[in-house]
Amino acid sequence: MIFFLHFFICCITACFVLVHGQVQTGYISIDCGSPENFNYVDLDTGISYTSDGSFITTGVNKNISSLYAYPNNPILPQPLSDLRTFPQGDKNCYTLRPNGGKKSLNLIRATFMYGNYNGENKLPKFDLYLGVNLWSTIKFVNNSDVFTTEIISVALEDSYSVCLVNIGQGTPFISGLELRPVDRSIYEIAPGILGSLVLFQRLDIGYSNGSGRYADDVYDRIWSPYFSPLWDSLSTSLGIDISGNDYRAPSEVMRTAATPKIGTDSLEYSWNVSDSEAKFYVYMYFADVAVLRRNETREFNVSWNANLLFGNVRPRAYYMSTFYNLRALVGNEHKISIRRSVGANLPPILNAIEIFRVQEFSELATFSTDVDAIQSIKTTYKVNKNWVGDPCGPMNYSWEGVNCNYTNSNPPRIISINLSTSDLTGQIAPSIANLSSLETLNLSNNSLTGQIPEFLEKLSSLKIMDLRGNQLSGYVPESLLERSRSGLLTLRIDSQNLCDSCQNKKKEVIVPIVASILSFLILLLLLIIAWRNRRTRKTRKANTNEEVRSLESNNRQFTYAEVANMTNNFQTPIGKGGFGTVYLGQLKNGNQVAVKLLSTSSSQGYNEFQNEAELLMRVHHRNLASFVGYSHDNNKMALVYEFMANGNLKNYILDRSNHPLSWEMRLKIAIDAAQGLEYLHHGCRPAIIHRDVKSANILLSEKLDAKIADFGLSKGLPDDQTTHILTDVIGTTGYLDPEYRKSHNLNEKSDVYSFGIVLLELITGRPAIIKSMNHIHITEYVGAYLEKGEITSIIDAQMEGEFNLDSVWKAMEVAVACTRSTSSKRMTMSEVLTGLKACLEMELTRGSRNGSTRENQKMVGFRMDYSPEVYSMNFEVMTGPSGR
Ligand SMILES: *[C@@H]1O[C@H](CO)[C@@H](O)[C@H](O)[C@H]1NC(C)=O
Ligand SMILES: *[C@@H]1O[C@H](CO)[C@@H](O)[C@H](O)[C@H]1NC(C)=O
Ligand SMILES: *[C@@H]1O[C@H](CO)[C@@H](O)[C@H](O)[C@H]1NC(C)=O
Ligand SMILES: *[C@@H]1O[C@H](CO)[C@@H](O)[C@H](O)[C@H]1NC(C)=O
Ligand SMILES: *[C@@H]1O[C@H](CO)[C@@H](O)[C@H](O)[C@H]1NC(C)=O
Ligand SMILES: *[C@@H]1O[C@H](CO)[C@@H](O)[C@H](O)[C@H]1NC(C)=O
Ligand SMILES: *[C@@H]1O[C@H](CO)[C@@H](O)[C@H](O)[C@H]1NC(C)=O
Ligand SMILES: *[C@@H]1O[C@H](CO)[C@@H](O)[C@H](O)[C@H]1NC(C)=O
Ligand SMILES: *[C@@H]1O[C@H](CO)[C@@H](O)[C@H](O)[C@H]1NC(C)=O
Ligand SMILES: *[C@@H]1O[C@H](CO)[C@@H](O)[C@H](O)[C@H]1NC(C)=O
């Protein structure tokens, strides 16, 4: 049984000493629930109390019912008249920072009195934790019962968390909380035991007049007067020297003692507990209260349950000594017996005794790196959640939105963070990368900006990352995409340059043929328009980059009236196709667009078309042709596209009368196109496969920036785990992946193959199928030369030898690596991009070393790469709408 203290009686002199002295050094004394900034000196004890403000942010202040308060209850200590209650959250914690910091030893005392503060007359029961370990369960006998619990504990960190945990049996509250620094050398427990000492009993033995709380107790311990009818009382009015050790039991307490009434009897003290595993430590204080005569001897043995604890103890007169057991006393029945030794002629004495029960700290605090990281996240984002105490512990009471992995012998690890809809701003915090066990990261629906940082790749256990609903930009780091592709990571992303449409299963797989046909035809028309405009409007100045940006931001659904308006009532038809006419248009901001008006007769596939239009609108990238918007008003449908001044790459290369493209320009175009594709493959989750990559689908702006166009045939992979899908073979002759054609297994490497063909076209200036050479395929044409280690004669003559040959060779290598017959041997678009950038770098440093180091170099293994199966292909129109 915990000994309850019900009275605090003031000692006037003590108050004086305390109020004016330095005795309270390092004390933290909180009157929980007192009005904000209300600091006062308690007249009963002389202790200076403060309000909760700087120790906790949660909770509600309440006053106890006047029935139990002063003046109805004149002896009620002032700190108990109010309390702080915690109706919100399962775990609420005070943070106490001891002066001594980490590793200091401190006594912490918590006091509770219900006092019917809420008028419910219902006694709550709840748990009190120190850090992650249970300290005590708080329960009451009646409304005026005062529950006090005290723990002596080493600070494992700079601060202690004193946490109140709601166990579903009433709202937790607290009345008072105190911390007292204790000398590190005392209250030792066996080194093998990990735990803290929770006060069981602290008794001032012998008659005592005092309050139990003495001003000369530097540790502010509260000593309960205790006396037995079997005992006689001894006392002295002289002071006791307590300097012998650092236990420093107050002289007031030491001045009284008890002896057995019958001198030959032993002095006994016993207690029982229900827990047979309970471990106890007993500290006994002795001081003789008189100087013995020569013929007198006081000597005794102290035993516990008949086991000798200390033999031949001879207390010194007026001088305190302390005895305690080195090994824990374990069991549910405990009896301390103090019996005089054989040679002694005075009865044994006892001045004071403290009994502590070990509260074992079996729970470990969260892995400290995780704690530092999440604390840093909390600070960085000013997280407005009840994030106090240990992030993971106690078990089942982790921070809101934080989940942990609890393993038996290791500290808990944070494995999941849900900070969705938490008003986060700024960039993704670097400290997240230190949460090395993190499996789920949800930062969705915040206002995060900046890039998706590379450092997230350090999170090797990450399985799910949700970044939707933020303003993130840029690319998804390659390593994350890699993991995502191999099914290890589920990425949920959507911001500007990141694709989200892929998330929607309805939209991602069903790409209707009708829509495909429409898109294709529209694109064709667009190309015609572009082509015409390039010729007729060379003088017109349009800043392509700006245009693109504004186009993207205007991307939307138009009304029919708006469409009519932007085309000046369909005044300037610039093309005609099977599904309608294309008109030149102008947006309000002056940007030119191509508007395709679908004839009403082709209303079939209306919904599919709309879905497709929505998908196109959401895929945004600098190197993907912009789809400005669409209209489906009045049963009329229109598509609005970005206007590309320089037509498509195929025509640009084939039109030999054109300004010839330099090698540098060709590389830049290739890099642009590769970036667009890389985005579709790796920036979209799940990946989008274009399926119709060809030079005719690469559009060129006024400044010859390249963009991939026509996603009419594009397909999203159904989910992250799927690496390929079986489809009907669709694509364009000459660019079609031979493996896909045979197996119908579609994956992004099919696009890589097609891109390789485009690259060969850029290098050689020849089309994919060379009509003038008996319709041979460009790989056949190139392969014949490469086998001989010959490259110069197949490089497009239009470049007039103005290039770094190493750069061209390297580009050729990339092209070869793209067009390998086995898809698994082909590069990824990311690798292609890296290779091409290296080519560009070489080309840009040209000049000093115009000659080549590899003029006659052979391309090792080339024959193998172009295995005969490729050549045996019959290059005729494939199934699908876009052939020829
Ligand atoms: C509690 O009582 C004090 C003194 O009467 C008063 O100042 C304070 O506002 C009360 N607090 C609450 C929470 O009612
Ligand atoms: C409340 O319980 C305490 C402890 O058992 C007891 O001393 C006290 O008399 C009780 N008070 C009332 C009003 O019942
Ligand atoms: C107890 O206190 C009373 C009054 O406060 C005093 O008269 C008496 O002498 C004290 N007794 C002891 C043993 O200190
Ligand atoms: C402890 O239990 C024993 C055996 O049941 C009993 O004899 C003894 O009186 C108990 N002691 C106390 C303090 O309750
Ligand atoms: C010690 O001697 C004194 C007389 O000097 C006597 O009164 C007393 O009883 C003796 N004490 C014991 C314990 O024998
Ligand atoms: C007291 O303890 C001593 C050892 O310190 C031992 O020799 C002696 O027998 C004990 N006496 C009794 C009565 O147990
Ligand atoms: C935590 O919750 C689980 C499931 O509810 C339960 O099995 C386990 O005992 C709880 N652990 C603690 C320490 O309460
Ligand atoms: C928890 O950690 C253990 C040990 O590291 C590991 O085996 C287990 O898979 C983890 N559990 C979860 C849910 O991460
Ligand atoms: C994550 O937090 C949000 C907002 O608090 C909540 O709506 C959502 O259910 C949480 N997700 C999970 C998996 O707990
Ligand atoms: C990550 O942890 C290391 C080591 O604990 C620390 O030095 C580093 O500052 C931490 N990084 C961040 C961003 O918090």
Side-chain angles (χ1 to χ4, degrees):
M1 273 289 287
I2 306 270
F3 193 94
F4 301 122
L5 266 184
H6 293 282
F7 52 95
F8 297 76
I9 298 169
C10 176
C11 155
I12 300 300
T13 48
C15 290
F16 190 80
V17 169
L18 281 167
V19 173
H20 298 285
Q22 266 85 56
V23 185
Q24 294 179 38
T25 309
Y27 281 24
I28 297 173
S29 309
I30 308 167
D31 176 359
C32 307
S34 72
E36 213 179 316
N37 299 322
F38 179 63
N39 303 327
Y40 65 93
V41 174
D42 180 23
L43 292 178
D44 293 337
T45 57
I47 291 168
S48 304
Y49 284 92
T50 57
S51 48
D52 322 63
S54 49
F55 307 97
I56 194 164
T57 54
T58 53
V60 183
N61 288 349
K62 296 279 182 188
N63 286 335
I64 62 164
S65 154
S66 61
L67 195 62
Y68 307 98
Y70 188 89
N72 291 329
N73 182 1
I75 59 159
L76 185 80
Q78 189 170 351
L80 301 186
S81 61
D82 45 28
L83 52 86
R84 198 170 182 93
T85 171
F86 302 95
Q88 300 279 318
D90 284 343
K91 180 176 80 172
N92 288 274
C93 304
Y94 282 81
T95 304
L96 304 181
R97 299 187 182 283
N99 263 4
K102 196 170 171 171
K103 296 206 169 134
S104 63
L105 187 68
N106 298 276
L107 177 161
I108 304 170
R109 182 164 47 223
T111 314
F112 308 82
M113 177 178 151
Y114 171 61
N116 197 22
Y117 73 89
N118 51 7
E120 288 176 5
N121 269 312
K122 207 164 165 231
L123 298 168
K125 182 178 169 189
F126 49 89
D127 281 345
L128 181 68
Y129 279 79
L130 185 65
V132 297
N133 285 283
L134 182 67
W135 166 0
S136 181
T137 294
I138 313 301
K139 50 180 188 267
F140 305 91
V141 176
N142 56 39
N143 286 356
S144 57
D145 188 15
V146 177
F147 190 109
T148 300
T149 180
E150 195 183 293
I151 196 165
I152 292 178
S153 182
V154 175
L156 300 173
E157 299 297 333
D158 297 340
S159 63
Y160 295 97
S161 293
V162 175
C163 302
L164 295 118
V165 171
N166 189 329
I167 53 171
Q169 299 184 49
T171 305
F173 71 86
I174 187 166
S175 307
L177 187 59
E178 296 161 316
L179 177 142
R180 311 293 182 232
V182 170
D183 192 281
R184 187 75 181 83
S185 67
I186 64 173
Y187 296 124
E188 276 183 287
I189 58 175
I193 299 178
L194 195 63
S196 293
L197 298 174
V198 173
L199 184 65
F200 183 70
Q201 279 165 11
R202 179 182 288 127
L203 306 174
D204 178 2
I205 303 289
Y207 179 73
S208 170
N209 227 5
S211 69
R213 189 165 190 164
Y214 296 97
D216 62 349
D217 189 334
V218 288
Y219 306 129
D220 188 31
R221 287 165 293 194
I222 297 171
W223 300 83
S224 309
Y226 185 81
F227 198 70
S228 157
L230 299 170
W231 298 348
D232 275 334
S233 171
L234 298 176
S235 70
T236 174
S237 55
L238 297 175
I240 307 285
D241 183 353
I242 58 167
S243 65
N245 59 48
D246 278 317
Y247 285 89
R248 313 276 298 272
S251 175
E252 288 285 334
V253 169
M254 295 304 297
R255 252 158 42 184
T256 58
T259 61
K261 274 204 160 93
I262 300 159
T264 49
D265 279 359
S266 57
L267 196 82
E268 291 189 340
Y269 187 78
S270 62
W271 69 95
N272 291 349
V273 288
S274 53
D275 179 7
S276 61
E277 308 263 282
K279 295 186 176 70
F280 287 92
Y281 281 86
V282 179
Y283 299 82
M284 280 171 275
Y285 298 86
F286 304 103
D288 219 324
V289 291
V291 179
L292 302 185
R293 298 198 178 103
R294 227 166 244 166
N295 60 350
E296 291 174 332
T297 319
R298 199 191 304 280
E299 187 186 275
F300 45 85
N301 285 4
V302 180
S303 51
W304 166 78
N305 292 356
N307 302 298
L308 182 71
L309 288 181
F310 323 111
N312 303 331
V313 177
R314 281 184 187 220
R316 282 171 65 185
Y318 311 119
Y319 188 87
M320 181 192 82
S321 48
T322 311
F323 289 81
Y324 60 95
N325 52 303
L326 288 168
R327 281 171 45 214
L329 311 178
V330 186
N332 42 5
E333 288 179 26
H334 301 264
K335 185 159 89 176
I336 300 286
S337 304
I338 307 173
R339 177 178 292 274
R340 82 181 196 195
S341 303
V342 180
N345 54 14
L346 289 184
I349 59 166
L350 177 63
N351 302 61
I353 184 170
E354 286 181 289
I355 303 167
F356 291 94
R357 180 176 171 160
V358 177
Q359 191 66 39
E360 287 196 62
F361 282 3
S362 49
E363 299 288 330
L364 293 173
T366 304
F367 190 65
S368 67
T369 310
D370 284 5
V371 176
D372 293 346
I374 194 109
Q375 287 287 6
S376 162
I377 291 165
K378 179 184 161 189
T379 316
T380 307
Y381 293 126
K382 301 185 174 67
V383 174
N384 185 24
K385 284 185 167 32
N386 185 14
W387 277 17
V388 289
D390 188 88
C392 294
M395 195 193 246
N396 298 350
Y397 295 99
S398 59
W399 287 358
E400 183 190 348
V402 173
N403 279 323
C404 306
N405 183 359
Y406 304 92
T407 43
N408 276 342
S409 50
N410 298 318
R413 300 297 306 263
I414 295 174
I415 55 168
S416 137
I417 294 182
N418 182 1
L419 276 172
S420 178
T421 327
S422 302
D423 297 325
L424 311 188
T425 54
Q427 308 216 332
I428 294 181
S431 34
I432 290 175
N434 267 2
L435 294 167
S436 53
S437 286
L438 201 63
E439 294 173 9
T440 306
L441 177 62
N442 186 348
L443 299 175
S444 62
N445 299 319
N446 287 298
S447 307
L448 295 172
T449 52
Q451 304 245 331
I452 299 180
E454 292 279 349
F455 59 67
L456 291 175
E457 74 186 27
K458 282 199 238 161
L459 299 173
S460 56
S461 306
L462 200 61
K463 293 192 178 78
I464 300 171
M465 181 161 71
D466 193 343
L467 301 174
R468 289 173 295 180
N470 286 293
Q471 283 90 57
L472 296 166
S473 56
Y475 298 92
V476 180
E478 176 55 26
S479 54
L480 294 179
L481 291 172
E482 199 68 56
R483 296 233 306 275
S484 169
R485 251 172 275 142
S486 53
L488 296 170
L489 174 67
T490 304
L491 270 175
R492 296 184 184 133
I493 46 181
D494 70 352
S495 309
Q496 272 126 12
N497 260 354
L498 317 162
C499 167
D500 80 333
S501 56
C502 340
Q503 296 296 323
N504 192 327
K505 289 214 168 192
K506 266 189 216 143
K507 288 171 192 164
E508 76 198 13
V509 184
I510 309 159
V511 182
I513 298 296
V514 172
S516 300
I517 296 167
L518 291 182
S519 301
F520 174 71
L521 291 174
I522 289 155
L523 187 85
L524 263 184
L525 288 166
L526 195 69
L527 296 179
I528 295 163
I529 301 156
W531 179 244
R532 279 194 184 180
N533 274 283
R534 185 173 57 78
R535 304 202 149 197
T536 56
R537 264 177 232 277
K538 283 245 152 132
T539 50
R540 202 182 276 267
K541 299 263 181 240
N543 184 324
T544 319
N545 284 336
E546 261 173 39
E547 180 182 69
V548 172
R549 237 173 275 130
S550 51
L551 282 171
E552 286 188 356
S553 58
N554 277 335
N555 178 329
R556 62 190 162 109
Q557 193 174 342
F558 296 100
T559 62
Y560 184 73
E562 280 175 313
V563 171
N565 193 15
M566 78 175 68
T567 55
N568 203 3
N569 248 328
F570 308 100
Q571 197 186 35
T572 322
I574 49 175
K576 206 165 170 56
F579 289 86
T581 311
V582 182
Y583 300 89
L584 183 65
Q586 195 162 30
L587 296 179
K588 286 205 182 84
N589 61 12
N591 288 329
Q592 286 199 309
V593 288
V595 178
K596 158 83 173 170
L597 189 65
L598 298 151
S599 55
T600 41
S601 57
S602 67
S603 57
Q604 186 199 9
Y606 182 93
N607 290 332
E608 292 87 342
F609 164 72
Q610 193 181 333
N611 276 348
E612 173 71 7
E614 280 172 6
L615 181 137
L616 287 173
M617 287 210 300
R618 287 198 207 168
V619 181
H620 286 302
H621 188 275
R622 195 161 50 84
N623 299 116
L624 298 178
S626 295
F627 180 76
V628 178
Y630 71 106
S631 162
H632 63 109
D633 215 17
N634 276 348
N635 254 344
K636 293 194 181 77
M637 287 183 287
L639 292 162
V640 183
Y641 286 98
E642 173 186 5
F643 181 83
M644 295 289 280
N646 268 316
N648 74 52
L649 177 64
K650 180 175 186 169
N651 289 343
Y652 207 98
I653 296 174
L654 291 187
D655 183 357
R656 312 304 282 182
S657 66
N658 234 319
H659 293 303
L661 282 170
S662 70
W663 177 236
E664 181 186 328
M665 278 317 301
R666 288 172 203 238
L667 280 173
K668 282 180 173 164
I669 288 168
I671 287 170
D672 280 351
Q675 275 168 348
L677 277 180
E678 201 230 3
Y679 169 72
L680 288 176
H681 290 179
H682 308 324
C684 291
R685 281 295 101 204
I688 290 178
I689 301 170
H690 186 286
R691 300 218 285 170
D692 201 13
V693 175
K694 55 183 173 181
S695 48
N697 276 343
I698 295 170
L699 303 186
L700 300 174
S701 74
E702 173 104 6
K703 287 180 164 178
L704 294 176
D705 293 320
K707 291 172 186 238
I708 302 266
D710 193 4
F711 314 108
L713 302 178
S714 301
K715 248 188 193 319
L717 290 171
D719 59 56
D720 290 337
Q721 275 70 48
T722 310
T723 54
H724 65 269
I725 46 175
L726 285 172
T727 66
D728 288 338
V729 173
I730 287 174
T732 301
T733 302
Y735 299 89
L736 188 62
D737 169 14
E739 186 184 272
Y740 165 51
R741 183 171 179 262
K742 276 198 301 184
S743 67
H744 294 209
N745 256 346
L746 181 65
N747 68 36
E748 67 248 22
K749 292 292 182 65
S750 303
D751 281 352
V752 174
Y753 178 89
S754 310
F755 182 81
I757 302 299
V758 172
L759 210 46
L760 291 176
E761 290 181 86
L762 276 169
I763 295 168
T764 62
R766 306 266 183 182
I769 290 164
I770 307 170
K771 292 199 182 106
S772 60
M773 293 180 179
N774 204 18
H775 288 84
I776 66 164
H777 191 247
I778 192 164
T779 56
E780 199 172 350
Y781 165 72
V782 169
Y785 284 88
L786 289 185
E787 256 181 80
K788 294 181 272 173
E790 161 71 36
I791 186 172
T792 36
S793 49
I794 52 169
I795 297 174
D796 191 348
Q798 275 211 329
M799 289 190 270
E800 295 175 331
E802 286 297 312
F803 47 76
N804 174 332
L805 193 57
D806 286 346
S807 170
V808 180
W809 259 111
K810 174 125 180 98
M812 184 60 87
E813 282 170 0
V814 172
V816 168
C818 286
T819 50
R820 294 201 167 108
S821 51
T822 312
S823 65
S824 60
K825 288 185 183 158
R826 291 175 205 152
M827 287 178 159
T828 65
M829 278 321 294
S830 310
E831 289 162 348
V832 169
L833 198 50
T834 310
L836 291 176
K837 282 179 177 167
C839 295
L840 182 59
E841 217 163 279
M842 287 181 195
E843 175 62 13
L844 291 176
T845 55
R846 184 167 61 98
S848 55
R849 37 186 209 96
N850 215 340
S852 173
T853 54
R854 46 201 306 184
E855 189 99 28
N856 295 309
Q857 197 171 335
K858 286 221 174 194
M859 212 154 196
V860 180
F862 194 81
R863 185 179 272 286
M864 278 182 62
D865 288 322
Y866 284 92
S867 56
E869 63 195 298
V870 180
Y871 305 109
S872 66
M873 266 181 74
N874 182 7
F875 291 105
E876 62 186 28
V877 178
M878 298 294 132
T879 51
S882 59
R884 220 178 287 280

